[in-house]
Amino acid sequence: MTRERLYLFDTTLRDGQQTPGVDFSLEDKLVVMGMLDGLGLDYIEGGYPGANPTDTALFAEDRPTRATFTAFGMVKRPGRSASNDPGLQDILRAKAKAICFVAKSWDYHVRVALETTNEENLLTIRESIENAKLLGREVLLDCEHFFDGFKANPDYALKVAKTAYDAGARWVVLCDTNGGTLPREVGEIVRAVTKTVPGDHLGIHAHNDTEQAVANSLAAVEAGVRQVQGTLNGIGERCGNANLVSIIPTLVLKKEFADRFETGVTIDKLATLTHVSRAFDELLNRNPNGQAPYVGRSAFATKAGIHASAIVKEPETYEHVTPDSVGNRRRVLVSDQAGKSNLLAELGRIGLSVDKSDTRLDALLREVKEREAQGYAYDGADASFELLARRMLGTVPHYFDVLSFRVIVEHRHNALGELVTVSEAVVKVKVDDEVFINAGEGNGPVNALDVALRKDLGKYQRFIDDLELADFKVRILNSGTGATTRVLIESRDGQGNRWFTVGVSPNIVDASFQALSDSIVFKLLREQVALAA
């Protein structure tokens, strides 16, 4: 049986950035793009070129992605030609494979927000799409407030959708911008729209103001749309957007959808979903939602009692899908065996083959649990987990010893008489029988430590010359000025490799140094550097 293709469109980097407290740097956006592309998304909407320096820089260069890299922006302004609209020209110049325009589809907004006529609004839509098509771009139109607009004036909302389709838009996206539409309404309205615009040219963009965004998206698919838009972990303005991390496994694993549709997310890629979700939360420096469907730590967790007893005998008794299908793990909180199974899977993922009867696994499992209780989080720090596992299994070369380190932070006047804060660090390391004392300055204690630690590692220095600290995030795990701190560090090298390491301590500098040291050791291990190098 031939299945229909469903297309997945991610707007984390544009609509998701409207989340209070979320502000992506250019580097953040590139990291997230890599996550999304690896997962198998069809479209990645990067942002709004011309709206801010970060998005302008993102679209200033070609971004090689398997997914269709998409720019977002408004249709041209009423009363202006396309060539005389700077905003439209910024979008048309963006180095993107596709352009997603947004336009009003509720006549109330046309009158009040745009202060123009319904006919002029249709003209701006048609001319903007035609200009983008002339440049060879794939074009989408987000029909803003479509469902509210349809309920108020169905004839005009349909005219907006048909105008976009007739002008050559590949996708006409129906937006529940205020997030107040319910699934039954979504289904009825989508079915009505398919009589004017074919379903294989329709998309759904749902907001979560009634906790219905996922349900609305699935209802729209059942009613005929063939593109689904959303964000990682459902971030977005107000109450968020449709959560792709919940939508994707439902489409791939649930028979009602899986028998009818296929997506770009394969079974193998789906098994990375939990890692992607948690790594994204770490990048945002926030705690993952433990009760999130599919990927939460509690999604497949059961306490002692009749549920736990049944799960030990037959997991399907209390699991609607298998945890490993989405990269999660079963947690029977009174059973160490469940933890060992997950540990074996993680070791296999990093290329370590260990027999399940190996007694070292028990020691490693105890160590992981103890460290998690202290505050370590290895879901977002795979490099640190791999090092811990390899150390306990005896497979990490002992490259160097840190004999001591010292950091000084001084508030003083510089030569110009300006009051500045200066950080200086001294690190003493031993490589074989040789001791190196390295000093470094930085704009903070961690930066100074990073400079000093990587200044001279003797015979290993050439292997870390291209290593640099890409990001640094701190999370306070409990209250008070003496609270335990978790530091997550992202590193990268000249080949484009990126990895995450973690450190935990009541002392933020100590936690940072743990993560910095792990980063260097992981780099040497990745380079397969032998002790005799």
Side-chain angles (χ1 to χ4, degrees):
M1 176 180 173
T2 302
R3 295 183 296 168
E4 286 187 78
R5 183 69 155 86
L6 281 180
Y7 295 85
L8 300 171
F9 183 107
D10 182 272
T11 182
T12 300
L13 300 177
R14 198 274 304 173
D15 217 356
Q17 187 165 256
Q18 298 186 51
T19 308
V22 171
D23 187 17
F24 296 114
S25 67
L26 178 59
E27 289 300 321
D28 288 337
K29 289 204 170 194
L30 294 175
V31 170
V32 175
M33 284 172 62
M35 293 179 184
L36 296 168
D37 211 31
L39 190 57
L41 276 292
D42 297 293
Y43 294 83
I44 299 172
E45 188 175 63
Y48 194 150
N52 58 72
T54 298
D55 286 0
T56 299
L58 181 66
F59 287 99
E61 299 180 23
D62 290 317
R63 305 296 178 183
T65 56
R66 182 205 56 80
T68 301
F69 186 45
T70 306
F72 175 89
M74 294 185 66
V75 294
K76 79 177 187 69
R77 283 182 259 180
R80 287 198 178 195
S81 66
S83 60
N84 194 33
D85 189 316
L88 177 63
Q89 291 305 311
D90 282 341
I91 300 163
L92 296 178
R93 283 193 295 266
K95 293 190 175 180
K97 301 173 187 175
I99 293 174
C100 181
F101 288 116
V102 61
K104 305 293 186 183
S105 56
W106 186 0
D107 61 346
Y108 166 69
H109 274 259
V110 173
R111 183 180 75 255
V112 174
L114 295 183
E115 296 181 329
T116 190
T117 65
N118 288 352
E119 292 71 23
E120 178 69 18
N121 185 51
L122 297 177
L123 180 65
T124 65
I125 292 169
R126 183 170 65 252
E127 290 187 353
S128 299
I129 292 173
E130 289 173 349
N131 273 269
K133 291 284 292 182
L134 286 173
L135 296 175
R137 308 295 178 83
E138 181 177 337
V139 184
L140 304 85
L141 183 77
D142 271 6
C143 297
E144 192 178 35
H145 295 284
F146 184 85
F147 292 93
D148 291 321
F150 186 94
K151 286 183 278 187
N153 186 341
D155 290 340
Y156 186 69
L158 286 172
K159 281 183 181 179
V160 170
K162 190 173 189 307
T163 297
Y165 176 65
D166 289 345
R170 169 64 184 90
W171 294 103
V172 179
V173 183
L174 312 180
C175 302
D176 186 27
T177 310
N178 286 346
T181 310
L182 300 179
R184 177 190 57 79
E185 295 177 294
V186 168
E188 291 174 355
I189 292 172
V190 167
R191 279 187 283 273
V193 177
T194 58
K195 297 174 183 177
T196 300
V197 177
D200 59 2
H201 282 70
L202 289 176
I204 179 70
H205 179 109
H207 284 255
N208 203 37
D209 297 73
T210 62
E211 198 67 35
Q212 303 289 322
V214 170
N216 282 342
S217 299
L218 297 174
V221 170
E222 290 179 320
V225 308
R226 294 299 176 258
Q227 185 197 85
V228 180
Q229 297 197 357
T231 61
L232 283 178
N233 295 341
I235 71 168
E237 64 179 331
R238 302 188 312 274
C239 305
N241 286 43
N243 187 354
L244 287 178
V245 176
S246 296
I247 291 171
I248 291 170
T250 299
L251 294 175
V252 176
L253 297 176
K254 294 299 181 180
K255 184 177 176 62
E256 180 178 352
F257 295 101
D259 286 353
R260 293 178 58 195
F261 306 109
E262 63 177 347
T263 72
V265 181
T266 64
I267 293 297
D268 288 343
K269 290 175 180 176
L270 186 66
T272 69
L273 186 68
T274 298
H275 170 73
V276 169
S277 172
R278 296 181 186 176
F280 180 64
D281 274 330
E282 282 290 349
L283 184 143
L284 295 181
N285 199 23
R286 69 179 193 176
N287 287 317
N289 177 6
Q291 293 189 301
Y294 295 105
V295 299
R297 282 179 57 82
S298 299
F300 300 96
T302 305
K303 286 188 174 182
I306 58 171
H307 290 193
S309 175
I311 282 178
V312 169
K313 295 174 185 176
E314 193 63 57
E316 287 80 1
T317 53
Y318 285 98
E319 291 175 355
H320 67 106
V321 299
T322 59
D324 58 345
S325 66
V326 291
N328 207 339
R329 69 179 179 93
R330 183 175 302 117
R331 298 173 66 232
V332 180
L333 301 182
V334 295
S335 168
D336 285 347
Q337 190 61 39
K340 183 181 287 188
S341 299
N342 184 68
L343 195 59
L344 283 166
E346 282 294 297
L347 294 175
R349 184 184 60 80
I350 64 177
L352 279 175
S353 179
V354 184
D355 189 272
K356 64 181 180 180
S357 62
D358 193 322
T359 57
R360 294 176 299 173
L361 285 176
D362 296 317
L364 177 57
L365 182 59
R366 284 194 301 272
E367 182 69 14
V368 168
K369 287 187 175 183
E370 288 174 7
R371 285 173 169 257
E372 285 181 347
Q374 294 167 17
Y376 288 86
Y378 290 108
D379 287 314
D382 283 354
S384 283
F385 171 77
E386 181 171 341
L387 288 177
L388 175 65
R390 290 185 182 276
R391 281 169 180 146
M392 295 197 69
L393 296 173
T395 57
V396 176
H398 193 76
Y399 295 111
F400 59 90
D401 289 300
V402 177
L403 302 180
S404 66
F405 68 83
R406 181 176 71 251
V407 181
I408 299 172
V409 179
E410 184 179 4
H411 199 51
R412 68 186 185 205
H413 288 90
N414 63 14
L416 300 175
E418 300 167 329
L419 196 59
V420 296
T421 301
V422 178
S423 296
E424 298 174 347
V426 177
V427 179
K428 184 187 291 187
V429 294
K430 184 178 181 181
V431 180
D432 296 335
D433 295 325
E434 193 171 3
V435 175
F436 299 87
I437 301 176
N438 302 323
E441 287 189 351
N443 56 16
V446 177
N447 183 218
L449 271 175
D450 180 42
V451 172
L453 182 59
R454 294 191 289 110
K455 196 168 190 178
D456 190 355
L457 272 185
K459 64 183 182 180
Y460 300 125
Q461 186 61 34
R462 62 190 173 94
F463 297 104
I464 65 169
D465 279 338
D466 65 338
L467 186 153
E468 60 180 357
L469 192 155
D471 202 2
F472 171 83
K473 296 188 184 296
V474 178
R475 179 172 299 157
I476 305 302
L477 301 180
N478 44 33
S479 61
T481 56
T484 299
T485 301
R486 179 165 71 223
V487 169
L488 183 76
I489 285 178
E490 180 190 358
S491 303
R492 63 187 174 199
D493 63 19
Q495 285 72 51
N497 299 309
R498 293 171 178 267
W499 59 96
F500 293 84
T501 52
V502 65
V504 172
S505 172
N507 186 308
I508 187 174
V509 174
D510 182 48
S512 302
F513 196 80
Q514 292 175 35
L516 288 170
S517 298
D518 267 8
S519 177
I520 292 175
V521 174
F522 188 77
K523 166 68 170 171
L524 295 173
L525 191 66
R526 180 190 287 273
E527 297 286 343
Q528 299 181 324
V529 178
L531 289 177

